[in-house]
Amino acid sequence: MTQTPSKRPVFRPLPGLAIPYHPRTLWVTQIALIASLALVLMTLLTGAFAISPLGVWSVITGQSQDSVADLVVLGLRLPRIIACLFIGAALGISGGIFQALARNPLASPDIVGFTAGAGTGVLVLMLVEGTAIGISLSFGAILGGFATALAVYLLALRRGVHGQRLILVGIGVGAMLSAFNAFLMTRAELEAAQAARLWLHGNLNGVTWPQVVPLILWCALLLPLSLLLAPKLRILEMGQDIAASLGLNHHRAQLQLIGVSICLAAAAIAVGGPIGFIALAAPQLAQRIAKSPGIDLICTASIGAVLLLAADFVAQRLLAPFQIPVGLVTGAMGGAYLLYLLSREWRKTD
């Protein structure tokens, strides 16, 4: 590690390659990763079927002779934990990109209607086509999210996309899509409607490997791509005029970043349903705790994973042996956080 002439630390993994970093952001990311590991262990070891760390190790290494332990660890808890990690990271980065582009802390996929659009894509496949395959639902969510994003983008486009206009248009489109989703529910068979309603609450109960594997594949492609686009995002955070003066094609960069953000949110929604709060709060919490000059996507992903792991742990243990949808827990947390943001904005304007 060395210092640049501007005193900003840089990491030099290879000769000639210098990666600047923000020290406090690095510390926050490390603490978030440690907290994630602690939550993973708590979720694996505790519950109706308690198991020792040695027992978990023997299951994971294939040395266990206990079929019940194999089922609980490999069939129930591990896919749910991995889904939490990837969904939390994906929603965190998706929200971070939207908030940076709109330069507004309220701009997140669940506020501006993209989550409702992705949900519409999944509901059409579930209730109209009868599809229940993970990879097909992922494509449905992505198509629904892109169609919604295109509609919001075109409606908000007027000499560029202004953050405030994007949020207002997105809220309106999201309300209409929520009404359409409710209409689909009323036309569906009772059993399918109940399953869809549970999914709409944001539910990780019964998540299995066939659902988790497509999520891992999508994230393996999209998370590195979002990090490659991060330098463009940092320039766009300074405003379109500055981006243009630096030679950046801001329209193309916006479309690239919005595309990645929608795909991340849609991949997460296809598995866990429209889980609120994570995309809204993770970027802001990461930036406020780290006191970074902009939104750091790696730190945001770490905070998003911690938030969802903690919320899912509460959802599993709060009313045990009954499990409540994780979306209800994140929704309660998000409502309080949204009130805090709004009251903070009102105090600024008074």
Side-chain angles (χ1 to χ4, degrees):
M1 308 262 179
T2 60
Q3 300 285 328
T4 62
S6 61
K7 304 296 183 184
R8 186 175 182 187
V10 296
F11 176 56
R12 298 183 185 277
L14 295 171
L17 178 62
I19 302 175
Y21 68 94
H22 186 256
R24 190 179 170 101
T25 302
L26 187 61
W27 277 108
V28 172
T29 304
Q30 291 173 345
I31 292 171
L33 292 176
I34 293 171
S36 297
L37 180 60
L39 286 165
V40 167
L41 291 176
M42 287 169 60
T43 306
L44 271 178
L45 301 178
T46 63
F49 183 85
I51 186 170
S52 67
L54 190 60
V56 171
W57 177 254
S58 65
V59 169
I60 293 175
T61 56
Q63 299 173 352
S64 173
Q65 302 296 322
D66 188 344
S67 59
V68 177
D70 287 348
L71 174 64
V72 170
V73 174
L74 295 180
L76 299 176
R77 293 181 182 173
L78 206 53
R80 183 166 182 160
I81 288 170
I82 293 176
C84 274
L85 287 169
F86 280 98
I87 290 174
L91 290 177
I93 289 183
S94 178
I97 290 174
F98 272 114
Q99 291 179 13
L101 288 178
R103 303 170 72 185
N104 191 312
L106 295 178
S108 74
D110 39 353
I111 296 293
V112 297
F114 299 157
T115 298
T120 301
V122 173
L123 285 180
V124 168
L125 288 178
M126 288 177 67
L127 302 179
V128 180
E129 300 294 331
T131 303
I133 302 174
I135 192 72
S136 299
L137 296 182
S138 298
F139 278 113
I142 289 172
L143 287 176
F146 265 111
T148 307
L150 181 63
V152 172
Y153 185 84
L154 291 176
L155 290 171
L157 186 63
R158 185 180 177 186
R159 288 181 296 180
V161 178
H162 188 271
Q164 198 75 12
R165 193 163 56 238
L166 180 74
I167 292 172
L168 292 175
V169 171
I171 289 174
V173 172
M176 289 190 289
L177 287 172
S178 295
F180 180 69
N181 291 345
F183 170 75
L184 287 178
M185 300 277 293
T186 63
R187 308 300 298 174
E189 298 291 335
L190 179 60
E191 186 177 348
Q194 288 176 336
R197 182 174 294 282
L198 195 60
W199 178 84
L200 278 175
H201 286 153
N203 185 35
L204 293 173
N205 298 340
V207 167
T208 57
W209 289 112
Q211 296 169 284
V212 175
V213 170
L215 173 67
I216 296 174
L217 295 177
W218 279 116
C219 289
L221 172 68
L222 296 169
L223 293 179
L225 188 57
S226 66
L227 297 180
L228 288 175
L229 292 172
K232 293 182 179 179
L233 183 65
R234 281 195 287 272
I235 295 175
L236 288 171
E237 279 186 283
M238 295 185 286
Q240 294 181 2
D241 294 337
I242 295 178
S245 67
L246 293 175
L248 179 68
N249 185 331
H250 58 83
H251 285 299
R252 187 168 61 188
Q254 279 181 339
L255 290 176
Q256 290 171 340
L257 285 159
I258 289 174
V260 170
S261 178
I262 291 172
C263 288
L264 281 170
I269 291 166
V271 176
I275 299 173
F277 171 64
I278 305 297
L280 173 69
Q284 289 301 307
L285 287 176
Q287 190 174 12
R288 290 172 194 275
I289 296 172
K291 299 186 185 305
S292 59
I295 292 176
D296 184 275
L297 295 184
I298 296 178
C299 185
T300 298
S302 305
I303 296 289
V306 170
L307 289 175
L308 192 55
L309 280 169
D312 191 51
F313 185 80
V314 172
Q316 292 183 65
R317 304 291 187 270
L318 185 63
L319 300 177
F322 302 104
Q323 297 188 14
I324 58 177
V326 67
L328 296 182
V329 179
T330 60
M333 297 162 66
Y337 183 73
L338 192 58
L339 286 175
Y340 162 74
L341 280 182
L342 291 173
S343 64
R344 191 168 178 272
E345 292 297 320
W346 288 336
R347 283 198 299 270
K348 279 184 180 178
T349 56
D350 287 342

